[in-house]
Amino acid sequence: MSRLSGPFLALILTFSLSSGMILAAPSSGQAVQAAEEGSENSIQYHGYEAVVGVTSRAQALLVFEGTGDKKLAVMTGNFVPSPQIFLTTPFRPFTKEKAIGGKTSRTGYYWKYSYNRFVLDRQEDPGTGGIGPSSPVYNYGTKGEGDFFAVAPVIATEMLRPDGTVKFRLELGLGLGYLDLSGDTVLGDQQGDPMAPSTRIDYSGPSFFLFTMGRHHWGLFMLGYQMGISATTSKPYSYSQSYISLDIGYRVVL
């Protein structure tokens, strides 16, 4: 993790300054009420939010030759629990709330900072096109692991309860991440040959990041599910990692 501390702090500082100029945060512990006078709902906009919990994630790493012309390896992992941490800046709506049936919704934006760690301990046949039940799994004894930190502007739609609290949130974000990856893998279609030579993979650098997430809220508890993909372009190898996950977390709202 020592290699990540410098880039992490630089990313946090850069995007915190950017979000601070774009998003005017309410004071800690204060709620901003709905703009409309006499509204039946007392709509509250959350301030800064931290979520700490556990994610059960199925993840895949694709290794490409050069800048991504030829797929050389597919490394995957089963649903394995791991720590989950993310932070968000205050929610800012695009428009006033609108009633949909007996519910209220709003759409807005904020910045999201997230961190996760992954371990991939099996390989699939790169010739089958990637991941899936039809892709053979080979036991080469290879392993890849890493840390991924991402910063992204997020567009979100929230469904609210009658008391103004958030019932469900749908997020879509596109941003920049920092990937620290190391391990070994077997390159090419070796068809499970136990004598196939392994190659060292090692990357630390930027990675573009796209994700979507749905979140159910019950007080300070959250249940979420998300899909995401990140990609790098480098030499001698480029990497693309994707995942689906189920998240459980405890929310701290300031």
Side-chain angles (χ1 to χ4, degrees):
M1 288 296 294
S2 59
R3 290 193 301 174
L4 293 177
S5 57
F8 273 18
L9 291 175
L11 278 172
I12 291 174
L13 178 61
T14 299
F15 284 93
S16 293
L17 290 174
S18 300
S19 61
M21 290 184 290
I22 296 173
L23 307 176
S27 301
S28 176
Q30 292 182 343
V32 180
Q33 301 299 322
E36 184 179 352
E37 285 283 340
S39 172
E40 293 182 1
N41 297 314
S42 178
I43 306 301
Q44 297 181 347
Y45 300 107
H46 69 73
Y48 288 90
E49 180 186 52
V51 176
V52 179
V54 175
T55 178
S56 186
R57 177 172 304 213
Q59 195 148 357
L61 175 72
L62 278 61
V63 182
F64 296 89
E65 183 178 32
T67 58
D69 298 330
K70 181 181 179 182
K71 188 191 303 177
L72 298 178
V74 177
M75 303 191 72
T76 61
N78 288 317
F79 279 97
V80 177
S82 63
Q84 169 82 330
I85 302 172
F86 60 82
L87 306 172
T88 66
T89 60
F91 179 93
R92 289 300 176 189
F94 292 129
T95 60
K96 295 180 180 180
E97 297 74 33
K98 58 181 180 179
I100 301 179
K103 301 180 181 179
T104 303
S105 72
R106 63 186 178 208
T107 300
Y109 63 97
Y110 46 84
W111 287 83
K112 184 173 185 177
Y113 308 77
S114 63
Y115 164 78
N116 69 78
R117 177 166 179 80
F118 60 89
V119 177
L120 308 173
D121 55 4
R122 64 180 189 175
Q123 286 196 233
E124 299 192 21
D125 186 352
T128 62
I131 313 139
S134 62
S135 182
V137 177
Y138 300 133
N139 184 17
Y140 293 123
T142 54
K143 183 179 181 180
E145 57 185 331
D147 301 273
F148 185 68
F149 176 83
V151 180
V154 178
I155 296 177
T157 295
E158 296 184 335
M159 301 302 297
L160 306 174
R161 297 183 178 91
D163 63 358
T165 59
V166 177
K167 179 180 180 181
F168 176 77
R169 180 184 301 158
L170 181 63
E171 303 176 352
L172 177 64
L174 173 64
L176 181 67
Y178 188 89
L179 173 65
D180 185 36
L181 169 69
S182 62
D184 58 298
T185 187
V186 172
L187 301 178
D189 187 2
Q190 303 295 332
Q191 299 186 0
D193 181 0
M195 302 301 293
S198 62
T199 300
R200 180 73 182 176
I201 55 175
D202 195 354
Y203 175 82
S204 291
S207 180
F208 292 101
F209 179 55
L210 171 69
F211 80 95
T212 181
M213 181 177 186
R215 299 169 57 181
H216 297 274
H217 289 183
W218 295 275
L220 296 179
F221 291 94
M222 181 213 77
L223 172 65
Y225 32 87
Q226 61 177 312
M227 299 175 59
I229 185 170
S230 65
T232 67
T233 300
S234 63
K235 291 182 179 180
Y237 307 116
S238 294
Y239 306 95
S240 174
Q241 60 163 339
S242 58
Y243 67 86
I244 57 174
S245 69
L246 180 66
D247 308 301
I248 299 174
Y250 179 80
R251 304 165 51 243
V252 178
V253 182
L254 303 177

